[in-house]
């Protein structure tokens, strides 16, 4: 299975870079993993709703440009479905079973995802109603993908 995580912005915090590298290493024997960063749109700290929409649209265009046409897209969104770790494992297993071996998870920038990205997604996933920094979300998502792989293989995972 090929798992792609496409996200807006460059990771800067060393602890996040190290954590992501650790889970990428752990996933190495099980999946082909691609971590794709697209530049965030430069914008003032305070913006009007129209300016925020423009930022989302530009970042969305960049995200869509790095997603292959045959990818099954799962967008991370506050209004997405709530899955348990077992649900995620089941979703990935079903996708692999039915020939959807390229799965792309999309993480937007601080202003969220553009409507075009949400339209491209076959599924929307939420990690809860709390807002998490998009950089931290990459680490949380990778940990959950690793956990899902271990669940699907029937292998133990630390608790």
């Amino acid at each position: 299975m090929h798992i792609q995580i496409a996200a807006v912005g460059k990771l800067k915090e060393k602890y996040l870079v190290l954590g992501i590298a650790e889970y990428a290493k752990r996933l190495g024997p099980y999946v082909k993993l691609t971590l794709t960063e697209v530049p965030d749109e430069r914008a003032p700290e305070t913006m009007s709703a129209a300016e925020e929409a423009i930022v989302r649209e530009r970042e969305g265009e960049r995200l869509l440009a790095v997603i292959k046409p045959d990818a099954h897209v799962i967008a991370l969104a506050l209004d997405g479905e709530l899955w348990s770790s077992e649900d995620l494992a089941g979703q990935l297993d079903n996708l692999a079973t039915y020939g959807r071996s390229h799965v792309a998870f999309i993480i937007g920038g601080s202003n969220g995802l553009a409507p075009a990205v949400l339209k491209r997604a076959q599924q929307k996933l939420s990690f809860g109603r709390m807002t998490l920094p998009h950089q931290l979300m990459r680490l949380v998502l990778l940990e959950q993908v690793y956990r899902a792989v271990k669940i699907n293989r029937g292998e133990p995972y630390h608790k």
Side-chain angles (χ1 to χ4, degrees):
M1 177 166 262
H2 180 194
I3 302 283
Q4 177 183 17
I5 297 176
V8 172
K10 184 161 180 56
L11 281 178
K12 298 175 188 120
E13 293 82 2
K14 187 175 181 178
Y15 72 96
L16 292 173
V17 172
L18 292 172
I20 287 169
E22 176 62 28
Y23 282 105
K25 181 178 83 175
R26 290 182 188 191
L27 279 164
Y30 305 111
V31 301
K32 179 181 180 200
L33 179 67
T34 304
L35 303 172
T36 309
E37 294 179 338
V38 301
D40 52 353
E41 184 69 16
R42 291 191 171 271
E45 194 67 31
T46 56
M47 293 182 282
S48 69
E51 290 170 321
E52 284 183 13
I54 291 169
V55 166
R56 277 192 301 276
E57 186 175 317
R58 289 180 181 161
E59 291 173 347
E61 289 168 358
R62 292 178 190 138
L63 286 166
L64 291 172
V66 299
I67 302 301
K68 292 186 177 179
D70 66 336
H72 180 89
V73 176
I74 302 173
L76 274 62
L78 283 173
D79 66 341
E81 295 178 46
L82 294 170
W83 295 344
S84 66
S85 298
E86 292 79 11
D87 291 337
L88 176 60
Q91 292 286 336
L92 293 178
D93 190 45
N94 283 340
L95 289 167
T97 299
Y98 294 105
R100 300 304 303 259
S101 61
H102 184 126
V103 178
F105 290 93
I106 308 294
I107 302 172
S110 57
N111 293 301
L113 288 169
V117 174
L118 295 171
K119 184 177 179 184
R120 169 65 176 87
Q122 283 85 6
Q123 295 176 285
K124 292 192 302 184
L125 171 62
S126 174
F127 278 74
R129 293 187 329 190
M130 286 191 243
T131 302
L132 295 174
H134 54 280
Q135 295 95 343
L136 178 60
M137 197 64 241
R138 293 184 214 183
L139 178 58
V140 173
L141 175 60
L142 262 180
E143 188 279 334
Q144 285 298 301
V145 169
Y146 176 67
R147 185 178 297 268
V149 167
K150 297 295 266 185
I151 289 169
N152 285 339
R153 294 180 58 84
E155 296 177 0
Y157 184 84
H158 66 80
K159 298 187 187 233

